[in-house]
Amino acid sequence: MEQTYTISDLAHEFDISTRTIRYYEERGLIHPGRTEGGQRTYSRKDRTRLRLILRGKRFGFSLEEIAEMINMFDQDRSGKKQLEVTIQYGRKKIKEVDDKIQDMIALRDEMESLLQDFQSRLKQIKGEESR
Amino acid sequence: MEQTYTISDLAHEFDISTRTIRYYEERGLIHPGRTEGGQRTYSRKDRTRLRLILRGKRFGFSLEEIAEMINMFDQDRSGKKQLEVTIQYGRKKIKEVDDKIQDMIALRDEMESLLQDFQSRLKQIKGEESR
DNA sequence: ATTGACATTAACGTTAACGTAAACTAGAAT
DNA sequence: ATTCTAGTTTACGTTAACGTTAATGTCAAT
């Protein structure tokens, strides 16, 4: 239990460049440790965090938004009022995600119905063919 | 039945700039008509198409990808082979969308479970409070 | 101790997707 | 007829999210 990763370990695993990982650090999204010699060293938590970042990216959040969300869930919010605010914000963000999901489902359906059109056209052609 | 729109009609309706709409045209995503004097005039079909473009954008497809998809569903594919290819491609794109949806649902769940943590913490604090 | 593969920072370059400004024209309203 | 609002093209500017290069340091293996 002391599992760490180098920057290229993670770069390979997630199929991104080392530059990208360093850039995320530059933007305050991740905070790896350092070795004696000054090289970055990533813990399991860092790796998990990177996965989260990439997941956020994949559906169109900006790095700034992702930073906001992550840092939010990150702080040691011990006060009651703080916790309540955090939860409020979290609910809002989740709703945003829900909305995006709905939007995508709508697009999916639209695409599907276009495809149906094409398929019935194809069927018709095939029908004519065998006359 | 001759409903048309000006560029700012659509800009207002979809809450985007006229520059954006012109840019989509520049990139070959939409092809409005012109008035005598040279001003762009948008039909209902153009409007529908714009809606599709924006929907595509909203979940992270690039304009190039959107152009590819739209033009695909656009051509008058009368040949059987052509139709089959189009349908294949369409299936592929729909699967991509499905994957994105799955991905987003995973993120949503992740966020939800984080929120649960916070909420149980809050409950605990409230419990202590009333002791 | 010397490779060789991988690491570091610094800084400039690149692309997509527009924003913005200038200089001008068209159309609607008074 | 004039004024005002909205349209046009051209062209340069901007930002996010990295890519790329240079110049140099580190670590593991021989």
Side-chain angles (χ1 to χ4, degrees), chain A residues 118 121, chain B residues 68 70-78 82:
Chain A
F118 281 121
R121 265 207 248 168
Chain B
E68 206 188 346
I70 282 188
N71 293 330
M72 149 101 14
F73 283 121
D74 214 45
Q75 278 147 62
D76 207 290
R77 310 243 171 184
S78 33
Q82 288 290 353

Side-chain angles (χ1 to χ4, degrees), chain A residues 45 70-80 82-83 86, chain B residues 118 121:
Chain A
K45 283 200 81 172
I70 282 188
N71 293 330
M72 149 98 17
F73 284 121
D74 214 46
Q75 278 147 62
D76 208 292
R77 310 244 171 185
S78 33
K80 185 183 154 198
Q82 289 290 353
L83 257 178
T86 303
Chain B
F118 282 119
R121 265 207 248 168

Side-chain angles (χ1 to χ4, degrees), chain B residues 31-89:
Chain B
H31 311 285
R34 298 281 181 148
T35 71
E36 181 71 15
Q39 298 191 193
R40 272 162 258 250
T41 165
Y42 297 83
S43 69
R44 308 246 7 198
K45 284 199 79 172
D46 292 328
R47 177 164 160 264
T48 300
R49 175 179 276 245
L50 183 54
R51 201 207 324 281
L52 252 177
I53 296 170
L54 295 176
R55 189 161 282 160
K57 281 231 58 189
R58 236 169 296 139
F59 67 82
F61 279 130
S62 72
L63 291 184
E64 193 171 334
E65 288 174 305
I66 294 171
E68 206 188 346
M69 293 165 67
I70 282 188
N71 293 330
M72 149 101 14
F73 283 121
D74 214 45
Q75 278 147 62
D76 207 290
R77 310 243 171 184
S78 33
K80 184 183 152 197
K81 193 68 193 167
Q82 288 290 353
L83 257 179
E84 277 165 354
V85 171
T86 304
I87 289 172
Q88 280 303 311
Y89 184 87

